[in-house]
Amino acid sequence: MNLDLARTTLKKVFGYDQFRPLQAEIIQAVYDKRDVLVLMPTGGGKSLCFQVPALTLEGTALVVSPLIALMKDQVQGLRANGVLAAYYNSSLDTKEAHKLEDELLAGNIKILYVSPEKLVSQSFLPLLKRLNISLIAVDEAHCISAWGHDFRPEYTQLRFLRRQFGDVPLLAFTATADKLTRKDILSQLELRDPALFIASFDRPNISLHVRPGQKRIEQILEFAKKHHGQSGIIYCLSRKSCEMLAEKLNAKGVRAAYYHAELPPNLRSKVQDDFINDRIPVICATIAFGMGIDKSNVRYVLHYNLPRNLEGYYQEVGRAGRDGLPSEALLFFSYADVQAYRQMIEEGESSDEQKELKLAKLNRMYQFAEAPVCRRRTVLNYFGETYEQNCGNCDVCLSPPRQFDGTVAAQKALSAVLRTGEKASMSILVEVLRGSQRRDVLERGFNKIKTFGAGREYSYDDWLFLISQMLHHGLIEIAYDDHNNLKVTDMGKAVLLEGKQVSLALPSDKEKEKPAAAGKSKSTVHQTPVQSLREGLFDKLRELRRELAQQHGVPPYLIFSDATLEQMVERRPISDADMLEVSGVSERKLQLYGDAFINAIRNFVLEKTNEGQKVTGSTYLLSWDLFKKGHTPEEIAGMRNVSTATVVSHLATMYERGENVDIQKWVSPEETDIIQGSLSLFSEPYVMKEIYDHFGEKFGYEKIRWSIAAFKRRQRLV
Ligand code: ADP
Ligand code: ZN
């Protein structure tokens, strides 16, 4: 099996021209019947990696998915593109389940989503065995790991899949990148010589900001007002703050709802529904909200409180901007949050080992918020990715602290890490560097190593500050499965042994108040006419999308994503062929919604032009509009104050783009044949004068223009 069919399917069914990074490789591995583990961030495009093979291979693909809401959303999305997809979970009644079983046995389902509970139930296996299974995909595979944050006990029973379905490729997908989780997935699913794909976890379209937590309510109100009408999530720690914040936002004219685990289920799903369907733009929620929401046009995620760990932070932030358009993440940091969590963890029920892990992760979160290092660099290095540059799209990059050559300081610390046999935690390491006589230092003989006391020039806090930066730079890492001891990374070795330079922020600058990064919002800057025109059209299309969504009973972003609407605004497609070139417009969606969007775009362009605005591409439309109203080219020329030849050329352009015109009024089929026969002698763009001369003035310009239009029209329609 090769990728050509996969590419055609990508375009036909999903409307996309190109695979995203790794998608093609992953699909090829499935075709090669390999087991696969894919680590890819939210929004990276995991679903297509199993959906495209599912559609191109024979049989039914099985997708294990942990949440009913998520399944429903994915199945709806697939059906919107004409794919035979279904889900099987506890929400089906007996009759529905029987009907689905019949469909499955008849081979009418290409992609079946199943909950893990259903899958492991005794009654389901016999049915499965009777199906021709093309592949099995385990989505959200980190749910298998007790180390992770979304542990689902039923996932641990999935190991039977590998045993029962001998040569069916088994694919595991997750957006959680840490190494322990990865190990767990591989071993528990018993993946067989798996191909491992780790995508970059970078989400460059999301700008990352951290601000001090003072006056955060005012800051949030201001932010939300600036982003009027856009979808956003504000994460809060407590039920009470969710409710309070929603109330304040509403009082300020920002429509907002709240969501937390204590709301009755029907209210919870109503809030979720209102959000998904663009009826309520802002949700103030605890972390109970979000998992299972595939909404692609969330424009911002705010954290009213510090998240408990970077995994959680990044996952929540990742809910913004799945469509790839610019989006914002803003975190409010207060040390009080750190203290509160610390206390909660210490007084909690977990085992000592678990507590230690939670505290260590909390510390990293805290350091992230506090260290003056590019935020993206910090998170990505935390996930084990080597990201050496500064991103230019976070608050630190946009207003950087003062730097000094930290190579010597870093070398001292790195050397101490190695000389303690990589058996020192961060606090012990600082004690060693400062030559402390603490008992645990002496007992372990760390006072005898060469670097003992080599760093007395910095205070204890300064060292913590420097070391946390080294951590964020990826020079050292913390081994969470080895008592949080520090280890030197390859990059760290390059600094220690090869003298690679490191630039660090001056500890004395730490307290300096950073100016709050100015929110870049579309609506606050002065707008050029072109911008306002674009926004006007975007709003029109968004409104149309909402109406269609309501009629069809699907969420708006399943009609077209924001990214697709933006491209429509950019290109203003006014024919089917133009429309199909827009990324995200599949054949099915063109059939269903193409006319509505083309009409909206045409009307918008005409309306604006009639109001006296200059709109590129409008001139064809104006002539066409008058022609459709029954005027002759000569009349139109008079009305528009242009030549008849120009009007005819406009009409020809519209014909070329797929509009119907009886061109025999201008040129006979025989003449067209002759003129088109000569086109191979010329190259595009055709110069009419050359063709005119070629035939020794035998055919007039109009005839040539129409023949070229007919030729190009045919080319586009094939
Ligand atoms: P994930 O499951 O990794 O969070 P999704 O599969 O939901 O991500 O994809 C995120 C968004 O990107 C979706 O709107 C999807 O349609 C879009 N997408 C995926 N692959 C492509 C591609 N090759 N070209 C354009 N858009 C894509
Ligand atoms: Zn940055």
Side-chain angles (χ1 to χ4, degrees), residues 207 209 211 222-230 299-300 326 328 517-527 531 535:
S207 71
H209 293 266
R211 281 192 212 165
E222 199 190 321
F223 185 98
K225 277 208 307 221
K226 247 192 231 162
H227 292 76
H228 186 76
Q230 300 182 353
R299 293 273 70 88
Y300 60 87
E328 285 186 60
K520 286 175 293 171
S521 160
K522 284 195 211 163
S523 50
T524 50
V525 288
H526 283 294
Q527 290 194 327
Q531 273 172 332
E535 275 179 36

Side-chain angles (χ1 to χ4, degrees), residues 19-30:
F19 284 116
R20 293 238 183 104
L22 292 187
Q23 286 178 330
E25 290 87 336
I26 294 165
I27 293 168
Q28 186 61 57
V30 180

Side-chain angles (χ1 to χ4, degrees), residues 614-633:
K614 263 181 86 127
V615 189
T616 39
S618 62
T619 188
Y620 310 104
L621 271 181
L622 281 175
S623 298
W624 179 251
D625 190 48
L626 293 169
F627 182 69
K628 278 276 132 185
K629 286 182 178 146
H631 297 287
T632 65

Side-chain angles (χ1 to χ4, degrees), residues 233-506:
I233 307 174
I234 306 173
Y235 283 109
C236 309
L237 180 60
S238 70
R239 172 180 63 89
K240 254 172 64 191
S241 32
C242 294
E243 296 183 3
M244 172 274 297
L245 203 54
E247 192 183 325
K248 294 215 154 125
L249 284 166
N250 280 310
K252 286 276 175 183
V254 177
R255 275 171 57 69
Y258 57 85
Y259 183 107
H260 50 70
E262 284 159 65
L263 284 185
N266 58 336
L267 252 178
R268 260 184 297 165
S269 47
K270 180 176 170 348
V271 171
Q272 185 165 323
D273 245 43
D274 284 346
F275 184 59
I276 287 176
N277 290 297
D278 289 350
R279 287 190 290 268
I280 290 189
V282 182
I283 307 293
C284 306
T286 61
I287 52 171
F289 183 74
M291 165 107 167
I293 292 186
D294 261 355
K295 185 175 166 65
S296 68
N297 61 338
V298 177
R299 293 273 70 88
Y300 60 87
V301 169
L302 307 192
H303 281 95
Y304 183 85
N305 297 98
L306 188 77
R308 284 158 212 255
N309 52 50
L310 276 168
E311 282 90 350
Y313 168 73
Y314 206 55
Q315 192 174 47
E316 282 140 31
V317 160
R319 298 195 171 119
R322 279 170 185 255
D323 49 19
L325 299 179
S327 310
E328 285 186 60
L330 172 57
L331 161 74
F332 292 99
F333 170 60
S334 91
Y335 192 69
D337 284 345
V338 181
Q339 282 170 316
Y341 291 139
R342 211 166 258 162
Q343 198 176 355
M344 274 196 274
I345 295 172
E346 275 159 6
E347 291 167 2
E349 304 265 288
S350 333
S351 68
D352 283 354
E353 198 189 10
Q354 290 272 353
K355 279 185 188 171
E356 208 180 310
L357 181 71
K358 284 184 186 167
L359 285 172
K361 291 195 163 189
L362 174 61
N363 262 340
R364 285 301 284 278
M365 187 67 232
Y366 162 49
Q367 288 155 356
F368 162 85
E370 161 248 41
V373 178
C374 166
R375 311 281 177 204
R376 201 170 311 272
R377 212 162 139 171
T378 308
V379 206
L380 293 177
N381 282 311
Y382 176 76
F383 290 127
E385 209 171 298
T386 312
Y387 186 92
E388 290 194 47
Q389 71 274 35
N390 288 324
C391 77
N393 193 19
C394 75
D395 58 327
V396 179
C397 286
L398 294 169
S399 60
R402 275 200 300 149
Q403 301 279 315
F404 78 114
D405 180 351
T407 312
V408 173
Q411 283 172 336
K412 283 182 185 175
L414 290 165
S415 159
V417 173
L418 287 180
R419 286 173 194 275
T420 52
E422 301 193 314
K423 288 290 175 204
S425 65
M426 198 185 298
S427 60
I428 295 279
L429 187 78
V430 175
E431 299 288 359
V432 171
L433 283 163
R434 296 204 15 90
S436 147
Q437 298 293 327
R438 259 174 52 168
R439 226 183 60 209
D440 41 3
V441 174
L442 302 181
E443 270 173 6
R444 296 165 72 182
F446 290 164
N447 56 332
K448 301 206 183 74
I449 67 172
K450 206 172 146 211
T451 21
F452 181 73
R456 288 204 173 89
E457 69 273 33
Y458 295 110
S459 70
Y460 186 90
D461 283 347
D462 284 353
W463 266 121
L464 283 186
F465 182 65
L466 293 171
I467 293 174
S468 64
Q469 291 180 61
M470 291 170 59
L471 204 56
H472 301 318
H473 279 307
L475 306 183
I476 45 179
E477 56 187 13
I478 296 180
Y480 292 111
D481 50 355
D482 180 21
H483 307 285
N484 302 327
N485 289 331
L486 300 177
K487 313 273 167 184
V488 177
T489 62
D490 288 345
M491 220 201 291
K493 286 185 187 140
V495 171
L496 183 60
L497 306 173
E498 293 153 28
K500 183 178 153 83
Q501 302 255 310
V502 212
S503 168
L504 298 174
L506 276 173

Side-chain angles (χ1 to χ4, degrees), residues 10 16 18-20 23 40-48 294 296 322 583:
L10 181 72
Y16 299 136
Q18 277 167 349
F19 284 116
R20 293 238 183 104
Q23 286 178 330
M40 203 183 254
T42 313
K46 286 184 284 298
S47 321
L48 280 187
D294 261 355
S296 68
R322 279 170 185 255
S583 170

Side-chain angles (χ1 to χ4, degrees), residues 1 5 9 13-14 31 47 50-63 75 78-79 81-87 100 102-114 128 131-137 168:
M1 194 81 178
L5 188 57
T9 306
V13 180
F14 298 96
Y31 288 162
S47 321
F50 56 81
Q51 289 168 349
V52 169
L55 294 179
T56 47
L57 292 171
E58 266 179 42
T60 304
L62 203 62
V63 183
V75 167
L78 285 166
R79 294 197 157 228
N81 277 323
V83 174
L84 298 166
Y87 54 80
L100 177 57
D102 290 343
E103 295 278 4
L104 280 166
L105 290 170
N108 288 342
I109 302 289
K110 286 304 285 179
I111 306 183
L112 179 68
Y113 283 77
V114 208
L128 273 191
L131 302 177
N132 175 15
I133 304 286
S134 55
L135 62 89
I136 302 174
V168 177

Side-chain angles (χ1 to χ4, degrees), residues 678 682 687-701 704:
S678 77
F682 305 95
V687 181
M688 296 224 285
K689 172 99 175 54
E690 288 175 8
I691 302 171
Y692 182 73
D693 290 344
H694 171 73
F695 286 109
E697 306 179 5
K698 182 170 164 210
F699 299 114
Y701 279 103
I704 298 175

